[in-house]
Amino acid sequence: MGGSQSTRKLSVDNENAIQVSQDALERIQAQLAANQAAQPAAPVAPQFVPPQYYESRRQQLDNAAEEAYWARRIEGLKRAHEKINSGMQIEYQKTLKEANDLFELAQKDKIASKLPPCQEEKAKVLQCYSTNPNKSLLCAVLVNNFNECVCNSRVAAVSAS
């Protein structure tokens, strides 16, 4: 059905065809040739093709300019980085000194707080006993004062923590 080619033929008659004589054809060709000879040839603009060494030299100059730009940029960044680093170093040293000062102050407070309490009362009691070796009841008031001091320091220590 659709697998074979059609065997029909179609023919068209062209009634509007123009017949040109050989004389007319030669005159038209002669006129075209004269027109082409009369028109000057369009001048072809010479194109400048730079020599190969020029291109490489120009490329070298461009590369050198770009290298110089980036070298200046890197140097500027290095200077800025060094400036920031020096500021940070100064701040670090200042903070370290402050921390050490605070640490020393805290150590002094710890040492002061580690001293046993009531040293004065203890010294008075010991002196009383050494001056009155056989009369210990004479030192009873000093012993009571020492005992109260110890109790008060214990209460203060417990309430502080």
Side-chain angles (χ1 to χ4, degrees):
M1 289 181 89
S4 64
Q5 291 185 338
S6 174
T7 58
R8 294 185 184 173
K9 291 185 180 180
L10 179 66
S11 62
V12 177
D13 291 330
N14 191 355
E15 296 174 7
N16 296 330
I18 300 174
Q19 296 279 331
V20 178
S21 68
Q22 188 65 29
D23 266 347
L25 183 62
E26 288 174 3
R27 278 183 292 172
I28 292 172
Q29 286 177 348
Q31 198 173 18
L32 284 174
N35 283 343
Q36 285 179 354
Q39 288 180 348
V44 176
Q47 294 182 351
F48 175 72
V49 178
Q52 191 174 14
Y53 69 88
Y54 176 78
E55 285 295 323
S56 64
R57 177 70 178 149
R58 182 176 178 181
Q59 190 174 15
Q60 287 174 353
L61 291 174
D62 288 345
N63 289 345
E66 195 168 327
E67 286 273 335
Y69 167 76
W70 285 110
R72 286 190 310 270
R73 182 100 187 261
I74 288 172
E75 286 302 315
L77 290 173
K78 281 182 182 178
R79 283 192 298 273
H81 184 67
E82 288 172 1
K83 191 175 185 181
I84 290 170
N85 270 353
S86 66
M88 288 176 64
Q89 188 67 25
I90 290 169
E91 286 297 317
Y92 173 76
Q93 293 298 330
K94 189 171 140 184
T95 304
L96 183 64
K97 184 182 181 313
E98 288 175 6
N100 284 337
D101 291 346
L102 288 174
F103 183 72
E104 287 174 11
L105 183 63
Q107 288 294 91
K108 288 178 184 176
D109 285 345
K110 284 183 180 179
I111 291 171
S113 66
K114 287 189 178 188
L115 288 177
C118 309
Q119 290 298 309
E120 291 179 20
E121 287 81 2
K122 179 181 174 183
K124 288 179 185 176
V125 169
L126 290 175
Q127 184 170 354
C128 181
Y129 281 139
S130 64
T131 55
N132 302 310
N134 294 330
K135 303 175 186 171
S136 59
L137 288 179
L138 292 176
C139 302
V141 174
L142 294 174
V143 170
N144 283 337
N145 288 343
F146 176 70
N147 192 23
E148 284 179 28
C149 180
V150 170
C151 287
N152 289 338
S153 67
R154 283 184 183 164
V155 169
V158 169
S159 64
S161 62

